[in-house]
Amino acid sequence: MMASLAVGMSDLSDEILLYILRHVSVCDLLANVSSVCQRLQTLCRDKSLLAHVCLSEEYTMDDQRVRNTLRQLSNHVQSLSLNGVYWLSGGVMDSVSRCKAVTRLDVSGCRLTALRLSRLLASLPLLRSLAFDVQLGFDATKLSGEAVDRLSRLAELRQTLLTPSYGVVPCCAQLRKLMLQFDISDVTREGIGVSCHLMVGQSSVPHYEQLEEFSARLAPGEVNQTLLLLYLAVFSVHVPKRLRVFLVSIPGPNPAHWPAAPSLAQSLSLRGDLEALQLPRSWLDPSSLKRALEGNSPKHLSFSRCPALWPQVFLSLLDGGVRDASRLLSLNLSGINLVPYSECRGTEDQLLPTNMSRLVSSCVSLRHLNLMHTHYHHEHDNNLPPNAPHLCASLAQLKHLRSLTLPACALSDGIQSYHSATQTSSLLLLRGLKKLPRVGIQNYRVGSPTATHGDTTLGINQLATGCLHLETLEIIGPGFVSALPRLEPCARASVEPRGMCAWARAVGDSHLAAIGGFSRLRRLTLAGLPGILRGTGMAHLVTQCKDLRALSLANLGSLKIMNYNSALLEVFRNCSQLRELRLEQPYLIANLNFFDALSCCSRLQRFCLISRNGSFEALAAELFVERCSQLVMCHMFTGGTLVACRNLQKTLLDRFSPKRPGLSAVIYPIQHEDLPSVIRDIPLTLLDGMTLFQSHVAQPPRLSPW
């Protein structure tokens, strides 16, 4: 019998060790791993490990550690990201100038003045891609001639605009890819209105002769829309010949009109190489959309909140308007059939199983699909054949699907049996024999007939069986609106009353338990589901999805009583891999038991709690932050007093910031009049990184958790 031989790290080949070291942060490679032995020191200097460096999530690094790291990387790094390192001082940016070989640089969210940007650009002769923030007081006239020369050679630029400005776009004559994010408030902190007239005297309207990709994400506000139209002014005269990606998303029901949209659509149809398209609802009519898609084979399409385009979208995708629908990778149909809600809405206002089945058969390569703010009512139309496929059964054919957003009613197998059960219960109640159960909220019990045979969960079970690689799932009930004000006005204009859809009300704990069939799930959002009672299905779900990294739960069950608290604590105890958690419930009590269970999520990095009438125990919260040593974001907006909130926030920052320089602790009463200003101070990287809805495809702006 052969003796077993132990294999150690020293026995592995260099190729295997390099593969392992790719999963170690650069900071740890240089500071710790390289000092183990001579061999590892040599491997840690391999160019494959140091060529592309991201320091964005190194929340424990202070100014000095970042400077030391950049000094060691100076001769190796080609792509460097400092995106969102909001806690570092502006002086750290001067150390980036050591990295002479950098071709791609991302300093979004960093403190960067025009003078410092000028010095940085002058020191990077090979730079071809740049991302940065245009902050208040930015003056492009302060850029040196050498810096302007560097900008003229850029091929890619991403600007986050925090003040009305063209930024550096007019200097970038060779741009092929331009990404803009507009996040300008309509009023200053002093209550003074912001105007784009501040741009008078700046450089002329930019031209995009070589442009191939254009994308713009807008936060709510008139100033953002006005500024976008200034950036697009040149498109009214000349559309770049090579343009193949055009993505613009404007929140709210009434986006500013852009008269040049039809001519843009005409131009996009000429070359036949359109890759991605997203336009606001008022910019295109069906005939323009038909021309834009005709003869093209796009990979990304978004028609969010565009009900007027609903018939043409299906005609183009199903009846030959698109040259090859099988190339489509992501499709956003959020709110595309949104009309004023009634229980008697016609089937033409819903997702029809026949259309969706044909869509799936045509778009076989889809990886991302968003059907939020739509309706699908199984058994709604008695004229359908008895074997008409459930929506989930059709979607189960998408074997490459990675992210999916569904309306809650799409999980229901129908309400006929439910109505029958309700009528029987009502009769028994009149006889005094039985208490009437609440609609759709029967408890889920492991091993029960419903759990075993899937009597009411056939659709979601079929979906889990077919989509084996699904990583992101969002189930959104009709009428959900977040309690925080950042996007609230836009959201309120596009949702229907909570609880109006009987199919959505029928989704309960057994459906949540069935989600456990997606064993590879990493991100899960459940919002606006009134049919949840005790949360037992959710507790079962997390025992099956063992690799869950991000969890968002909002307005589940009754809004007046927190009736799934025990199950929620059980969820925490079984989420050992969880990195991000967002909770929103009007009456959530964050007491010692709550934080003790939450401490079991030892790898938690981001935590956001929204509870309009809720409360917290300060000592329990402090102990939780101490136990979760990787936590760098703790945001709680509750019904507590301003004094209690400020005291806890100060305690957390004073005690934990020295070892966690990137710690963001924001504790504030949700009904305080200054809350909008407080939220405005939160770094965008935290707002974007902790979003409620993740799978808005075709690169539209992701909704903030606020």
Side-chain angles (χ1 to χ4, degrees):
M1 186 167 59
M2 296 180 62
S4 60
L5 298 177
V7 178
M9 288 282 290
S10 59
D11 299 311
L12 300 178
S13 66
D14 287 353
E15 290 76 14
I16 294 178
L17 286 175
L18 284 173
Y19 180 82
I20 295 173
L21 293 176
R22 288 193 190 102
H23 298 275
V24 181
S25 70
V26 170
C27 301
D28 283 333
L29 285 178
L30 299 178
N32 301 315
V33 180
S34 63
S35 60
V36 172
C37 64
Q38 184 63 43
R39 184 185 179 197
L40 284 178
Q41 183 180 44
T42 301
L43 290 176
C44 287
R45 301 287 178 176
D46 189 90
K47 62 180 181 180
S48 66
L49 299 178
L50 304 182
H52 306 284
V53 176
C54 179
L55 302 179
S56 297
E57 297 187 1
E58 300 293 340
Y59 295 103
T60 60
M61 296 186 68
D62 56 17
D63 287 11
Q64 190 57 47
R65 286 190 63 191
V66 172
R67 288 192 180 98
N68 291 339
T69 300
L70 292 176
R71 184 174 62 251
Q72 297 181 67
L73 291 172
S74 58
N75 296 324
H76 306 279
V77 62
Q78 300 174 19
S79 174
L80 176 62
S81 175
L82 293 168
N83 186 321
V85 288
Y86 49 85
W87 63 92
L88 299 180
S89 66
V92 174
M93 295 300 105
D94 295 333
S95 300
V96 178
S97 60
R98 296 173 176 269
C99 306
K100 304 294 184 180
V102 164
T103 59
R104 304 177 61 88
L105 177 64
D106 187 350
V107 288
S108 302
C110 299
R111 302 172 186 177
L112 200 63
T113 64
L115 288 175
R116 182 161 279 134
L117 176 63
S118 181
R119 293 196 297 268
L120 185 59
L121 290 171
S123 64
L124 303 176
L126 303 179
L127 192 66
R128 294 295 178 268
S129 176
L130 173 66
F132 80 109
D133 293 353
V134 179
Q135 302 183 12
L136 185 64
F138 182 86
D139 185 358
T141 62
K142 295 182 179 179
L143 297 174
S144 67
E146 193 173 5
V148 171
D149 180 64
R150 298 282 191 269
L151 290 170
S152 69
R153 304 177 189 178
L154 285 185
E156 297 181 6
L157 174 67
R158 186 172 79 239
Q159 280 189 167
T160 300
L161 296 155
L162 306 177
T163 187
S165 172
Y166 286 126
V168 300
V169 173
C171 305
C172 305
Q174 302 298 319
L175 279 184
R176 297 183 181 274
K177 186 175 183 178
L178 176 61
M179 296 159 285
L180 301 172
Q181 181 170 344
F182 299 82
D183 206 301
I184 308 166
S185 176
D186 283 345
V187 295
T188 65
R189 297 183 181 281
E190 295 75 24
I192 302 173
V194 176
S195 172
C196 287
H197 291 303
L198 297 174
M199 297 174 63
V200 173
Q202 294 189 18
S203 299
S204 60
V205 177
H207 292 266
Y208 315 110
E209 294 295 335
Q210 308 297 324
L211 200 64
E212 298 177 8
E213 301 182 20
F214 179 91
S215 62
R217 301 172 50 188
L218 275 69
E222 294 297 326
V223 171
N224 292 317
Q225 296 194 38
T226 302
L227 185 55
L228 170 64
L229 295 182
L230 291 175
Y231 272 85
L232 292 177
V234 69
F235 283 87
S236 302
V237 180
H238 169 70
V239 177
K241 295 180 179 180
R242 299 180 181 179
L243 191 66
R244 52 189 174 81
V245 172
F246 193 86
L247 303 170
V248 173
S249 184
I250 302 176
N254 299 306
H257 180 62
W258 187 44
S263 62
L264 171 71
Q266 180 67 34
S267 299
L268 292 175
S269 65
L270 297 178
R271 291 173 53 87
D273 59 353
L274 177 67
E275 286 195 7
L277 179 65
Q278 176 181 2
L279 294 175
R281 60 191 299 173
S282 63
W283 286 19
L284 274 186
D285 54 49
S287 60
S288 298
L289 176 63
K290 179 182 179 181
R291 289 196 301 271
L293 297 182
E294 209 161 32
N296 281 294
S297 301
K299 295 181 180 179
H300 311 278
L301 291 175
S302 178
F303 305 105
S304 178
R305 296 178 292 115
C306 297
L309 303 179
W310 165 250
Q312 185 58 53
V313 168
F314 279 85
L315 286 174
S316 294
L317 292 177
L318 302 180
D319 295 332
V322 170
R323 187 171 72 242
D324 185 2
S326 66
R327 294 193 61 203
L328 194 63
L329 300 179
S330 64
L331 179 62
N332 188 344
L333 299 178
S334 172
I336 195 168
N337 64 348
L338 187 64
V339 295
Y341 185 81
S342 72
E343 287 286 2
C344 300
R345 63 165 56 183
T347 55
E348 68 274 7
D349 299 323
Q350 301 170 29
L351 300 175
L352 296 181
T354 50
N355 283 346
M356 294 307 298
S357 180
R358 291 180 61 199
L359 180 68
V360 167
S361 299
S362 299
C363 308
V364 294
S365 301
L366 273 180
R367 296 188 178 184
H368 312 284
L369 178 62
N370 189 339
L371 299 176
M372 187 170 68
H373 293 319
T374 61
H375 279 271
Y376 171 77
H377 294 169
H378 199 63
E379 298 179 357
H380 180 81
D381 190 348
N382 294 328
N383 295 323
L384 287 175
N387 60 345
H390 191 285
L391 172 64
C392 291
S394 297
L395 297 180
Q397 301 176 43
L398 297 173
K399 304 302 182 183
H400 303 287
L401 204 62
R402 295 295 186 273
S403 67
L404 175 65
T405 300
L406 286 176
C409 52
L411 270 62
S412 174
D413 287 346
I415 61 173
Q416 292 180 358
S417 59
Y418 163 73
H419 280 162
S420 176
T422 303
Q423 292 171 2
T424 302
S425 299
S426 299
L427 181 60
L428 291 173
L429 179 64
L430 291 174
R431 295 175 179 174
L433 300 177
K434 185 177 181 180
K435 183 179 179 181
L436 179 65
R438 289 182 60 198
V439 174
I441 53 176
Q442 290 74 22
N443 280 337
Y444 168 82
R445 294 185 298 275
V446 178
S448 66
T450 299
T452 304
H453 302 294
D455 294 340
T456 62
T457 60
L458 179 61
I460 187 65
N461 285 325
Q462 289 175 315
L463 184 62
T465 302
C467 300
L468 299 177
H469 302 287
L470 196 72
E471 297 179 351
T472 299
L473 178 63
E474 300 171 348
I475 308 297
I476 314 297
F480 172 75
V481 178
S482 178
L484 283 182
R486 181 173 170 84
L487 289 180
E488 192 174 26
C490 300
R492 287 198 183 281
S494 60
V495 298
E496 59 196 55
R498 172 182 165 90
M500 285 291 290
C501 177
W503 279 259
R505 294 198 305 268
V507 174
D509 281 315
S510 60
H511 296 85
L512 300 193
I515 294 175
F518 299 99
S519 59
R520 298 190 182 186
L521 206 61
R522 298 170 68 91
R523 309 187 71 93
L524 175 64
T525 295
L526 302 171
L529 305 179
I532 305 303
L533 179 57
R534 298 298 181 187
T536 49
M538 183 168 54
H540 174 72
L541 182 162
V542 298
T543 63
Q544 306 302 306
C545 304
K546 298 183 181 299
D547 202 27
L548 202 60
R549 304 298 178 91
L551 179 63
S552 297
L553 305 174
N555 291 5
L556 303 184
S558 170
L559 298 185
K560 296 183 179 180
I561 302 175
M562 179 69 180
N563 50 18
Y564 64 97
N565 189 68
S566 297
L568 182 63
L569 302 188
E570 191 66 25
V571 168
F572 294 160
R573 297 186 184 103
N574 286 284
C575 284
S576 59
Q577 302 299 316
L578 202 63
R579 303 314 198 259
E580 301 177 6
L581 175 65
R582 182 192 188 278
L583 288 175
E584 178 167 356
Q585 198 75 24
Y587 289 88
L588 193 150
I589 308 301
N591 54 20
L592 180 61
N593 290 335
F594 175 88
F595 283 115
D596 185 60
L598 188 55
S599 299
C600 295
C601 305
S602 57
R603 300 188 180 186
L604 196 64
Q605 297 177 351
R606 302 186 180 198
F607 171 60
C608 178
L609 172 63
I610 303 170
S611 185
R612 182 179 292 274
N613 301 298
S615 61
F616 61 85
E617 291 185 16
L619 290 178
E622 183 180 351
L623 183 59
F624 153 68
V625 177
E626 177 184 0
R627 290 177 176 175
C628 295
S629 58
Q630 298 182 43
L631 192 75
V632 293
M633 169 182 153
C634 182
H635 293 176
M636 295 195 296
F637 305 94
T638 69
T641 66
L642 180 61
V643 172
C645 290
R646 284 181 171 174
N647 286 341
L648 176 58
Q649 178 176 312
K650 184 177 186 302
T651 298
L652 296 180
L653 292 174
D654 290 347
R655 181 177 175 188
F656 300 108
S657 289
K659 290 188 177 181
R660 306 181 207 178
L663 178 65
S664 173
V666 181
I667 321 293
Y668 217 78
I670 196 171
Q671 301 187 39
H672 197 279
E673 60 182 7
D674 292 336
L675 182 61
S677 298
V678 172
I679 293 175
R680 195 182 306 167
D681 289 336
I682 297 175
L684 284 177
T685 183
L686 293 180
L687 295 181
D688 274 349
M690 191 64 182
T691 61
L692 177 60
F693 306 125
Q694 295 287 341
S695 64
H696 291 275
V697 295
Q699 303 179 27
R702 296 180 297 174
L703 293 180
S704 158
W706 322 120

